Amino acid sequence: MLRISPTDTPPASISAGQGWPLFSTTATRQIEKACAERLPPHRLMERAGLAIAKLAMAIAPHAQRIWIACGPGNNGGDGFEAAAQLRAMLPHAQIMVSEVRAAAELPSDAQTSRDKALQAGAQWLDGAPVDLGPQDLCVDALLGIGLSPRTSGKTSAAYQRLLQLLAQVQHCTCSVLCVDIASGLDADTGQYLREFAPVHITTDQRRHTLALLTLQPGLFTGQGRDACGQIWWDDLGCGIASTPDVPSSPTLAAAAQPVAHLSNPGLASSRTRPHASHKGSFGDVAVLGGEGLGMRGLSMTGAAWLAALAALHTGAGRVMLALLDEPSPQGIAPWPEIMLRRPAAQDWSQATVVCGCGGGEAVQAWLPHILAQAPQLVLDADALNAVAASPALAQQLSQRAALQQSTVLTPHPLEAARLLRTSTAQVQADRLQSCLQLASKFQCTVLLKGSGTVVANPQQQVWINASGNARLATGGTGDVLAGLIAALWTQGQSADMAATQAAFRHGHIADCWPADLPFSASALALRLGNP
């Protein structure tokens, strides 16, 4: 997902277990100001233009026509600078520029770069080229991280031209390179402002984004992953990459504290097991869920089986499954290693518990006991809905931390909305803040599912997972994730680490799935032992 831009800037090193820092728009602006003050005038924009031009050549080495759409601010200035650089690098290629704002209205740096592009021989267009082929390239330098709600509602000619050019960028069929972030996308939340959202996603596009100076959360969550595609990063030689989470300059460190971190693939590495081990060395997972046909005629026992199967194949020492299918589960277990229990017979105080997968209405009666007994508890699906519907259960959940009992919640956006008493749209509008609110409200680790899964804890630490794809949009994969978290947790990981590791491994397996192999939740669970 993340690659380093091919410039002369030294790449940032990634230490084991350390994720890339993600900065807010405000912090990025502060870093940009501090960097510009340390450099000669216009040098930062020159470096940005060079980085864009070199990456453009790497993405589309055979492009004969490159169209650069330049916006009204410094993002547009970076585009003008890239046009000048590309003219020098590709003298036989056609470098075309469209602009939103009149030259006299541009910031001074952008004016300087615009003049350079004109002098270099870039071709100015009124709109988009009509015959840009699939082997050519479009550079989106319209808005970048300069987007704000104040941009909306304008009726000027420049604003209408911006909308027109943005629509043409979003719907062209050639590869697209976005500068900073896909235009129209909020860099802090990963959501489009309504008036800038594409009418439909053009699946023919190959999208790339070059983040300059910092990485922002919106690149990796919400609509950001589809909008931005392959992410590249360049710190423009400002020394921000000397360590992943602390800029080298004291001035920059004071200006910029990350709001989140990107989960690192190194988190998924498995530990070698000592030879002198036994099944008790790797913890117990107990799963409660799976309402049977007898209660309402709606069997959901498969969800609980999937969670148990995932825990088994992730290496838990023992896995017990208590189905809410009274009077007792019938038949022979399809996986004899998973030990069946009646709920009343299971000692819930001696295991890491997964509660809720396929639990239906039957799980609600058991929740007070589970919340009181389980030392480590993964709450999923119908257990979350039961908590959302019951103030007494919600209060009991929020009190677990004070009793030294740990909890991981794994809601999807609708379940999160119910827990926060808001709408799914509001949850998705700011996924990081929604996840933080849940972690604070219930004093536990929260994993908010979706594109760019977010993990947060009560200490206001946030991680975003960048693995995974639309293969996971099928029934049962969330149950697999719950069992995976429990298995990692019971083997000694912290709640936060188990959640972030599980999210990465879950998505990574989907990313590496053979194209000719059918995908299903049970197949995913079986593959967890060999990610």
Side-chain angles (χ1 to χ4, degrees):
M1 186 68 179
L2 177 66
R3 297 181 183 176
I4 304 301
S5 171
T7 68
D8 296 330
T9 304
S13 60
I14 304 175
S15 60
Q18 177 69 59
W20 291 88
L22 306 176
F23 295 91
S24 69
T25 300
T26 299
T28 299
R29 290 300 192 203
Q30 292 170 337
I31 289 175
E32 181 180 18
K33 183 175 182 292
C35 288
E37 289 172 349
R38 297 190 318 184
L39 295 170
H42 197 62
R43 184 62 54 82
L44 196 63
M45 187 167 286
E46 286 180 340
R47 291 182 180 181
L50 179 62
I52 296 164
K54 286 189 173 182
L55 184 54
M57 292 176 61
I59 291 170
H62 305 298
Q64 294 300 306
R65 309 177 78 227
I66 298 177
W67 173 46
I68 306 176
C70 296
N74 282 333
N75 195 254
D78 294 339
F80 291 132
E81 187 67 35
Q85 300 280 0
L86 284 166
R87 279 294 301 156
M89 296 175 184
L90 301 170
H92 301 297
Q94 188 177 6
I95 309 301
M96 301 168 288
V97 174
S98 299
E99 62 184 349
V100 168
R101 180 175 285 178
E105 299 174 350
L106 291 169
S108 59
D109 262 8
Q111 287 186 35
T112 299
S113 291
R114 181 185 185 277
D115 291 343
K116 290 169 66 175
L118 278 170
Q119 293 168 8
Q123 178 184 349
W124 249 245
L125 303 178
D126 286 334
V130 294
D131 56 348
L132 202 62
Q135 299 303 314
D136 293 318
L137 179 69
C138 166
V139 177
D140 170 11
L142 286 169
L143 286 171
I145 66 170
L147 179 68
S148 75
R150 291 189 301 274
T151 310
S152 62
K154 294 186 178 179
T155 58
S156 66
Y159 180 69
Q160 295 305 313
R161 185 171 178 78
L162 170 65
L163 292 179
Q164 179 187 28
L165 288 176
L166 179 56
Q168 290 168 324
V169 168
Q170 290 171 339
H171 298 134
C172 67
T173 58
C174 67
S175 294
V176 176
L177 170 57
C178 305
V179 179
D180 281 326
I181 197 167
S183 288
L185 202 69
D186 188 310
D188 292 325
T189 68
Q191 297 301 116
Y192 277 108
L193 260 66
R194 183 175 57 186
E195 59 267 47
F196 297 137
V199 176
H200 66 276
I201 300 297
T202 303
T203 55
D204 293 338
Q205 282 186 353
R206 294 190 60 189
R207 296 184 73 85
H208 299 256
T209 296
L210 175 59
L212 300 172
L213 292 178
T214 72
L215 297 164
Q216 293 89 38
L219 295 164
F220 302 102
T221 195
Q223 296 168 308
R225 293 189 63 191
D226 286 323
C228 298
Q230 172 69 58
I231 307 299
W232 305 74
W233 175 60
D234 196 301
D235 75 350
L236 303 183
C238 290
I240 299 169
S242 59
T243 60
D245 58 343
V246 179
S248 60
S249 161
T251 302
L252 299 185
Q257 294 298 318
V259 295
H261 284 81
L262 191 67
S263 295
N264 190 296
L267 292 171
S269 60
S270 58
R271 297 177 295 173
T272 301
R273 292 185 164 191
H275 286 284
S277 300
H278 54 84
K279 63 188 178 216
S281 305
F282 305 110
D284 291 349
V285 171
V287 178
L288 177 67
E291 178 183 294
L293 282 171
M295 185 169 182
R296 296 181 296 153
L298 301 170
S299 176
M300 295 183 285
T301 56
W305 274 109
L306 286 168
L309 184 62
L312 177 69
H313 283 274
T314 308
R318 296 191 304 167
V319 180
M320 284 76 71
L321 172 58
L323 292 170
L324 296 165
D325 189 13
E326 295 294 349
S328 64
Q330 299 297 314
I332 298 173
W335 291 279
E337 304 92 337
I338 296 173
M339 293 170 276
L340 293 175
R341 298 284 193 268
R342 286 188 177 181
Q346 173 64 37
D347 184 354
W348 300 104
S349 67
Q350 299 299 315
T352 297
V353 178
V354 179
C355 179
C357 299
E361 294 180 1
V363 75
Q364 184 170 356
W366 279 95
L367 269 172
H369 182 71
I370 298 298
L371 290 169
Q373 293 293 318
Q376 297 185 164
L377 175 60
V378 180
L379 277 185
D380 187 46
D382 292 314
L384 298 173
N385 292 330
V387 169
S390 169
L393 290 176
Q395 183 178 12
Q396 189 179 2
L397 172 58
S398 64
Q399 291 171 343
R400 280 176 50 83
L403 299 173
Q404 305 302 308
Q405 296 170 318
S406 300
T407 314
V408 176
L409 309 184
T410 58
H412 57 55
L414 176 56
E415 292 160 350
R418 290 169 178 158
L419 289 165
L420 290 171
R421 301 189 180 279
T422 185
S423 67
T424 303
Q426 286 296 106
V427 168
Q428 291 293 81
D430 196 334
R431 288 172 51 78
L432 272 68
Q433 284 304 311
S434 297
C435 197
L436 281 166
Q437 287 174 28
L438 283 171
S440 177
K441 179 176 181 177
F442 295 110
Q443 289 297 294
C444 62
T445 299
V446 177
L447 183 151
L448 177 59
K449 301 171 190 174
S451 179
T453 290
V454 181
V455 178
N457 65 20
Q459 292 74 43
Q460 302 291 288
Q461 294 175 298
V462 184
W463 298 267
I464 298 179
N465 180 58
S467 70
N469 57 53
R471 284 192 179 97
L472 295 171
T474 187
T477 58
D479 306 305
V480 171
L481 178 60
L484 172 55
I485 294 169
L488 294 175
W489 197 4
T490 205
Q491 291 176 75
Q493 298 288 358
S494 68
D496 296 342
M497 186 67 75
T500 51
Q501 273 196 341
F504 176 79
R505 186 184 297 190
H506 190 253
H508 179 68
I509 293 173
D511 288 337
C512 298
W513 201 264
D516 59 347
L517 184 66
F519 183 88
S520 67
S522 57
L524 173 65
L526 291 169
R527 209 174 182 89
L528 289 173
N530 185 28

